[in-house]
Amino acid sequence: MSKANDLLEALEDLTWENYVDIADGVTQFNKLEIDTEMARQASVYSYYQGLLSIAKKRLDDANLDLTKYTAQTRKEKKASTVAKQTAKDLDDFVESTEEFVEYSKEVNNASFKYTLLKGLVSSLEHKKDMLVQLSSNRRAEANLYR
C-alpha cells in the first residue's frame, strides 16, 4: 500500500478515541536528534496539510449536498402544494425529513474530522517552532564553550 493510501485510510479511521494517540505520535521527538526531527518535520507537516485539504473538500462537498437537497426539497414542496407556503413552513418541512437529518450528520462528521485535522496541523506548527528554538538554544550553548 502506498503512503498516500495509508494517509487516506488514517483519515477514514480518525476518531476522537485515536486523536490523542495520533497527536502524541506526530508531536513527540528525541531531543538528541533535533536535526533529524527538523529534516522530517516538513514532510510530516505536508502529509497532514494534505489530509486537511481533503477533509476541507469533503466538508465543502457535504455542505453543497445539504444545500442542494434543501433547495430541491423546498422547490418540490412548493410546486406540489396549492396553498401558499411561507419560508418558515418550507424550512420546517425540509428540516423534519430524515434525509435532511442524514445530510446534516454528514456535514457534522466532515466538520469534526476537518477540525481534528486542523488541530493536528496546528500542533505540527508548534512542534516546528519548538524544534527551531531548541536548535537555536543548542547553537547558543555551543558558542558559550568556544
Side-chain angles (χ1 to χ4, degrees):
M1 203 183 251
S2 73
K3 196 176 279 191
N5 287 338
D6 289 344
L7 287 168
L8 287 174
E9 188 174 308
L11 176 59
E12 297 303 322
D13 295 340
L14 182 61
T15 63
W16 177 245
E17 287 73 27
N18 62 15
Y19 175 80
V20 174
D21 292 334
I22 294 169
D24 285 345
V26 298
T27 58
Q28 70 179 216
F29 65 95
N30 183 341
K31 206 172 186 183
L32 301 175
E33 296 190 20
I34 292 174
D35 294 335
T36 303
E37 292 290 341
M38 288 179 78
R40 276 189 57 232
Q41 179 67 15
S43 292
V44 173
Y45 181 89
S46 69
Y47 299 153
Y48 282 91
Q49 184 62 44
L51 287 177
L52 180 64
S53 296
I54 291 169
K56 176 66 168 131
K57 182 184 179 320
R58 289 181 179 178
L59 174 57
D60 291 346
D61 289 347
N63 273 317
L64 180 60
D65 289 343
L66 177 61
T67 301
K68 184 178 174 184
Y69 169 77
T70 300
Q72 285 177 333
T73 305
R74 287 173 61 97
K75 185 178 177 182
E76 289 168 6
K77 177 67 172 171
K78 199 172 186 180
S80 70
T81 306
V82 178
K84 179 150 172 69
Q85 299 285 308
T86 66
K88 179 72 174 137
D89 292 334
L90 294 171
D91 287 345
D92 290 345
F93 176 77
V94 170
E95 293 170 8
S96 67
T97 64
E98 192 60 38
E99 293 87 353
F100 180 85
V101 172
E102 289 305 313
Y103 282 115
S104 295
K105 284 181 182 179
E106 286 297 318
V107 169
N108 290 342
N109 289 335
S111 179
F112 179 69
K113 284 194 179 190
Y114 173 74
T115 305
L116 288 179
L117 281 164
K118 202 169 176 184
L120 288 172
V121 169
S122 178
S123 69
L124 286 166
E125 290 170 356
H126 289 286
K127 179 181 177 182
K128 177 211 42 131
D129 293 343
M130 185 177 54
L131 288 170
V132 168
Q133 186 61 51
L134 287 171
S135 178
S136 175
N137 291 351
R138 187 183 61 193
R139 285 192 308 277
E141 287 175 11
N143 286 337
L144 288 175
Y145 301 108
R146 284 187 184 181

